[in-house]
């Protein structure tokens, strides 16, 4: 379970695969550790076993920083307890994990995969980064450290959620 007392808890939800950015995330975690940032990064999802991620974490001395939760039928408690969501995928269609994070109004750092702009606007409701580990690390540090930025993203996600809800209600009224 996520340590509620940890001030900088990060969560990533999705399969543990290179395509979904797991290797990149581990490199970013190593970079965060090297800069002296205190954090716990939780990964919720199935291990595709394309790499030995647990061994890699151990080799990089990140055991105290990264925890693999595995598959869970209900990721919401984990998302709710995390300070931020980080999603470093190289490819997504429509990400359910990101939709869940949006519904819970969690501040998000996300990579610039081809459909990211269908779900997010940079510096409005998320920080969209390249695949450069230093840029990602900087974005995470900024979001973890800035209450103002996190609140801005949360407020905009809440506003977007309400506007989407009203559109869904309109659609239901048309169906009646």
């Amino acid at each position: 379970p996520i340590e509620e007392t940890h001030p900088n808890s990060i969560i990533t939800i999705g399969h543990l695969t290179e395509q979904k950015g797991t290797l990149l995330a581990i490199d970013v975690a190593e970079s965060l550790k090297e800069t002296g940032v205190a954090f716990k990064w939780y990964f919720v999802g199935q291990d595709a076993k394309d790499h030995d991620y647990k061994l890699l974490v151990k080799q990089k001395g990140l055991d105290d920083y990264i925890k693999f939760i595995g598959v869970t039928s209900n990721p919401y408690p984990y998302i709710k307890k995390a300070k931020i969501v980080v999603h470093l995928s190289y490819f997504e269609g429509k990400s359910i994990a990101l939709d869940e994070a949006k519904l819970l109004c969690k501040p998000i750092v996300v990579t610039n995969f081809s459909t990211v702009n269908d779900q997010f606007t940079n510096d409005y409701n998320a920080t969209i980064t390249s695949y450069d580990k230093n840029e990602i690390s900087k974005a995470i540090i900024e979001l973890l450290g800035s209450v103002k930025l996190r609140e801005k993203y949360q407020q905009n996600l809440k506003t977007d959620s309400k506007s989407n809800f009203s559109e869904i209600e309109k659609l239901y009224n048309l169906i009646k």
Side-chain angles (χ1 to χ4, degrees):
I2 289 183
E3 298 172 28
E4 292 184 53
T5 57
H6 199 284
N8 291 324
S9 54
I10 301 167
I11 189 164
T12 295
I13 298 173
H15 293 310
L16 303 178
T17 68
E18 191 169 347
Q19 183 180 14
K20 296 295 182 180
T22 308
L23 285 178
L24 178 58
I26 292 169
D27 286 344
V28 169
E30 183 177 38
S31 177
L32 291 171
K33 177 187 170 190
E34 289 170 359
T35 62
V37 174
F39 68 95
K40 287 273 188 186
W41 195 331
Y42 299 88
F43 290 80
V44 176
Q46 183 175 348
D47 187 345
K49 305 206 184 303
D50 58 346
H51 292 280
D52 190 339
Y53 296 109
K54 290 179 183 175
L55 177 62
L56 186 58
V57 164
K58 186 176 180 88
Q59 289 171 340
K60 290 180 177 273
L62 296 170
D63 287 352
D64 292 337
Y65 298 88
I66 292 179
K67 301 294 176 207
F68 296 107
I69 305 293
V71 176
T72 179
S73 61
N74 183 6
Y76 296 119
Y78 296 100
I79 297 169
K80 185 177 179 188
K81 290 179 184 177
K83 192 172 200 176
I84 68 170
V85 172
V86 175
H87 194 83
L88 305 181
S89 186
Y90 289 93
F91 174 80
E92 288 290 339
K94 176 87 164 102
S95 173
I96 293 169
L98 288 174
D99 282 342
E100 292 167 340
K102 286 172 66 173
L103 286 172
L104 293 173
C105 300
K106 281 297 172 179
I108 300 167
V109 173
V110 61
T111 46
N112 193 18
F113 54 84
S114 62
T115 60
V116 74
N117 294 306
D118 295 343
Q119 291 180 276
F120 296 100
T121 302
N122 187 44
D123 200 36
Y124 170 75
N125 59 4
T127 300
I128 301 173
T129 71
S130 72
Y131 295 93
D132 178 75
K133 76 174 183 175
N134 295 319
E135 182 183 337
I136 297 165
S137 298
K138 182 180 172 189
I140 290 171
I141 291 167
E142 179 183 28
L143 195 53
L144 288 173
S146 174
V147 172
K148 186 177 178 178
L149 184 58
R150 287 193 311 276
E151 287 175 349
K152 172 184 163 182
Y153 289 174
Q154 289 168 325
Q155 185 57 49
N156 290 334
L157 288 165
K158 194 177 294 183
T159 300
D160 292 349
S161 176
K162 285 179 185 173
S163 71
N164 288 343
F165 183 75
S166 67
E167 292 302 312
I168 291 168
E169 279 189 322
K170 287 178 191 174
L171 181 60
Y172 284 147
N173 287 332
L174 290 173
I175 295 172
K176 289 182 182 179

